[in-house]
Amino acid sequence: MTDTTTRPPAADTTTIRTREHQIARRTRFAGWGEPVALVAAMVVLVVVFSLLNPRFATFGNLQNILDQATVPLIVGVGATLVILLGSIDLSVEGVMGASGMAWILLSANSRGGLDLGPWAWVVALAVGAALGWVSGLIFTRLKVPSFIVTLGIWYVGLGVATILFGTSAIPTLTDDSLSTLSSQTALGLPNGFLLAVGVVVLGVLLLRYTRFGRLTLAIGDNEAIARSAGMPVARIKTAVFIVAGVLSGLAGIIATMKLGAGSATVGTGTLFLVIPAVVIGGTSLGGGRGGILRTVLGVFLLTVLSNGLILSGVSPSFQSAVSGAILVAAIVAAAWSQRNRLRIAK
């Protein structure tokens, strides 16, 4: 019997391999191109703002930038995990308010009442976890889009925070060591920022080296294949929303600590900073592609921009317009290489 298998000519095989190598090189370049572009943009901003105001380049202002980046870095880790699923979490500000109010009312405050010490942290984080669990449960079991679910949970959290805030005097921290804990420095770095670094490191390790992280990426990349492979899709999605809720709760505690007083709206503005930072960092809104370290770059880019505009004396009425224009340009630049595969978040 003769072998009728058709083999491509040697020249064609060489051409195919050459094209494969070219595609691989372009893929590697695209992977590195976005972070390099972000770093370059940040360097340009630093140079421009340093020329506009010499105070920008001082060590004291560097500490301010790191301190300002603390809350969005913590929230950004959870937001990145959710977006890697191909979903989105809009409940951040409500969860921050509820957890922050729970924490301050259970710590040494001007209203008195219980002072649970470290247990106040546990209860506040549990509040964040519970709100995240409710989001995940409704999303996975009732099949309600994450956009709608988390928008509702945002207002649930805000309502809880408002009820806890009450109508009496504003609760303020009476323990000076507690109110200054986040802004105090160790090795020249704010304690809050060091905590954020720890959260980022744990997030990276979780995403890269655990089954939970691999399943999160697999579900975001192609949920249908993940289901057909027998992956526990609903459990992983719910777990991701719980993690995001806990981190939003932690951010609410830190923000309340910085403020030194309870506020139902302590998280105001955080969502506008975090979600763009994740997208600017190169994490696909369609899920499955991106990472936490990319979000870190996005957070620092936007934090440097905000800090520089303030020190440069830009009027508050123009800061939003300038930030928005630069934000749109940055998103277009960061997402350009993904324009053919971006899809609407699930």
Side-chain angles (χ1 to χ4, degrees):
M1 180 180 293
T2 58
D3 184 3
T4 58
T5 302
T6 302
R7 293 185 175 86
D12 290 345
T13 302
T14 302
T15 302
I16 291 173
R17 289 177 178 173
T18 300
R19 289 177 179 174
E20 289 176 346
H21 289 313
Q22 290 173 346
I23 293 173
R25 283 198 298 270
R26 284 199 297 268
T27 301
R28 286 195 296 269
F29 176 77
W32 283 100
E34 291 162 356
V36 170
L38 287 175
V39 172
M42 205 178 314
V43 170
V44 171
L45 287 177
V46 168
V47 172
V48 170
F49 289 138
S50 298
L51 294 175
L52 292 175
N53 189 335
R55 285 191 301 159
F56 179 84
T58 63
F59 182 71
N61 189 54
L62 173 60
Q63 290 180 319
N64 288 335
I65 291 174
L66 297 180
D67 192 45
Q68 292 167 14
T70 297
V71 168
L73 281 175
I74 294 172
V75 175
V77 173
T80 302
L81 292 174
V82 173
I83 291 177
L84 284 172
L85 282 176
S87 304
I88 196 164
D89 183 5
L90 302 181
S91 66
V92 168
E93 296 183 9
V95 176
M96 286 180 64
S99 293
M101 283 301 305
W103 175 78
I104 195 170
L105 291 176
L106 296 176
S107 301
N109 68 91
S110 57
R111 284 191 190 173
L114 294 176
D115 180 6
L116 300 183
W119 286 103
W121 292 71
V122 175
V123 174
L125 294 178
V127 170
L131 291 172
W133 175 74
V134 172
S135 293
L137 193 67
I138 297 175
F139 172 48
T140 58
R141 304 302 179 184
L142 302 182
K143 308 300 181 183
V144 180
S146 59
F147 180 92
I148 302 299
V149 174
T150 56
L151 184 62
I153 295 299
W154 176 358
Y155 286 96
V156 170
L158 183 61
V160 171
T162 303
I163 292 172
L164 292 176
F165 186 82
T167 57
S168 55
I170 297 174
T172 58
L173 290 172
T174 56
D175 187 343
D176 292 338
S177 63
L178 196 59
S179 60
T180 60
L181 179 63
S182 176
S183 58
Q184 289 176 358
T185 60
L187 302 176
L189 301 175
N191 289 333
F193 176 72
L194 293 175
L195 175 62
V197 170
V199 170
V200 168
V201 171
L202 288 176
V204 170
L205 294 177
L206 181 71
L207 187 60
R208 290 188 178 181
Y209 301 109
T210 68
R211 182 172 181 269
F212 173 82
R214 291 191 293 271
L215 291 180
T216 298
L217 292 172
I219 292 168
D221 188 52
N222 196 314
E223 184 175 327
I225 292 178
R227 287 186 183 280
S228 64
M231 296 181 186
V233 174
R235 289 208 305 268
I236 293 298
K237 284 185 172 183
T238 303
V240 168
F241 276 94
I242 291 174
V243 170
V246 169
L247 293 179
S248 292
L250 177 59
I253 294 173
I254 300 301
T256 301
M257 186 182 294
K258 290 175 178 293
L259 186 62
S263 172
T265 57
V266 72
T268 298
T270 303
L271 185 67
F272 176 78
L273 175 62
V274 170
I275 300 299
V278 175
V279 177
I280 287 174
T283 296
S284 171
L285 287 172
R289 298 176 179 86
I292 291 170
L293 293 180
R294 288 170 175 261
T295 298
V296 171
L297 290 176
V299 167
F300 275 116
L301 179 66
L302 295 181
T303 304
V304 167
L305 172 62
S306 175
N307 180 272
L309 289 175
I310 293 172
L311 288 182
S312 299
V314 176
S315 171
S317 59
F318 289 102
Q319 285 182 24
S320 295
V322 173
S323 298
I326 295 177
L327 179 59
V328 171
I331 289 177
V332 170
W336 184 253
S337 64
Q338 306 178 52
R339 63 192 182 280
N340 293 325
R341 56 182 172 83
L342 280 175
R343 60 185 186 273
I344 298 202
K346 296 187 280 290

